[in-house]
Amino acid sequence: MSQSTVDVQAYLQAYDQIEQEIEGLSEEQLKWKAAPESWSVTEVLTHLVDHSIIVSFRIREILAGSEVRLPIFNQDAWVSGQHANQGDAKDILVAARAFVQYNSLLFGRLTDEEWSKTGINFKGEPVSIAAIVPAFVAHVQNHLAQVRRIKQGESESLNSSRVV
């Protein structure tokens, strides 16, 4: 797979839909949780930045020719450990976009051979840089659906509390 077959534009636009989906939400709505163990919209956004950190590291490990398994992370522990729901969604989105922009600059410098370079994921399977990019976009799309579910749950919760 080469750069010409990787949709870098989809990668660059990954957060556009997220921003559109949360536009107009209040701070209370961004931090609402269906249950203590579930994530708020703000926590989902924080997770996406964490995921960007890991993806960035994985790409650089592959380019460096590292032979160690690519790292995984305990997403729930990361989100709770950093008190993510106390963060500001706007600041989190700025960080997310910065990672995407920074990685896109790197993508523009990669040769077809580098796009095809692989590392070994935590399951022991080879994964190429060219495969990481669309997987990232799909990951963001999954969490976009999660944001929609959270919004729906918050709306339903608000409506049920109004019913007497």
Side-chain angles (χ1 to χ4, degrees):
M1 196 176 276
S2 67
Q3 179 179 6
S4 62
T5 60
V6 176
D7 189 356
V8 175
Q9 274 309 111
Y11 176 81
L12 282 168
Q13 297 168 350
Y15 288 99
D16 292 345
Q17 290 176 296
I18 294 278
E19 286 184 6
Q20 289 171 357
E21 194 64 41
I22 67 169
E23 188 175 338
L25 293 181
S26 68
E27 195 67 22
E28 183 178 271
Q29 290 171 309
L30 290 166
K31 294 182 183 308
W32 180 86
K33 295 168 69 130
E37 66 279 357
S38 64
W39 283 357
S40 68
V41 171
T42 299
E43 289 170 324
V44 170
L45 297 175
T46 300
H47 164 70
L48 289 172
V49 174
D50 292 343
H51 186 250
S52 290
I53 291 167
I54 294 299
V55 165
S56 297
F57 184 82
R58 289 173 183 163
I59 290 168
R60 284 152 180 83
E61 280 293 289
I62 291 170
L63 288 171
S66 176
E67 294 184 20
V68 299
R69 290 211 176 180
L70 300 173
I72 61 169
F73 67 109
N74 183 335
Q75 63 186 24
D76 293 319
W78 279 36
V79 166
S80 67
Q82 61 187 303
H83 309 284
N85 211 31
Q86 295 172 22
D88 182 276
K90 290 181 186 106
D91 294 339
I92 296 165
L93 282 169
V94 167
R97 285 204 177 270
F99 272 108
V100 167
Q101 183 60 39
Y102 186 65
N103 283 336
S104 74
L105 295 172
L106 169 62
F107 297 158
R109 298 188 299 264
L110 297 181
T111 65
D112 286 349
E113 180 181 319
E114 289 166 326
W115 277 101
S116 297
K117 280 187 157 189
T118 61
I120 304 300
N121 69 16
F122 66 96
K123 297 175 187 174
E125 305 163 340
V127 61
S128 69
I129 294 172
I132 288 174
V133 175
F136 176 88
V137 173
H139 187 83
V140 172
Q141 291 300 312
N142 286 337
H143 286 294
L144 177 61
Q146 181 183 16
V147 166
R148 289 178 180 135
R149 289 189 304 273
I150 294 168
K151 284 175 51 178
Q152 181 66 33
E154 190 273 340
S155 177
E156 290 170 1
S157 173
L158 184 61
N159 288 337
S160 69
S161 67
R162 290 182 184 160
V163 175
V164 179

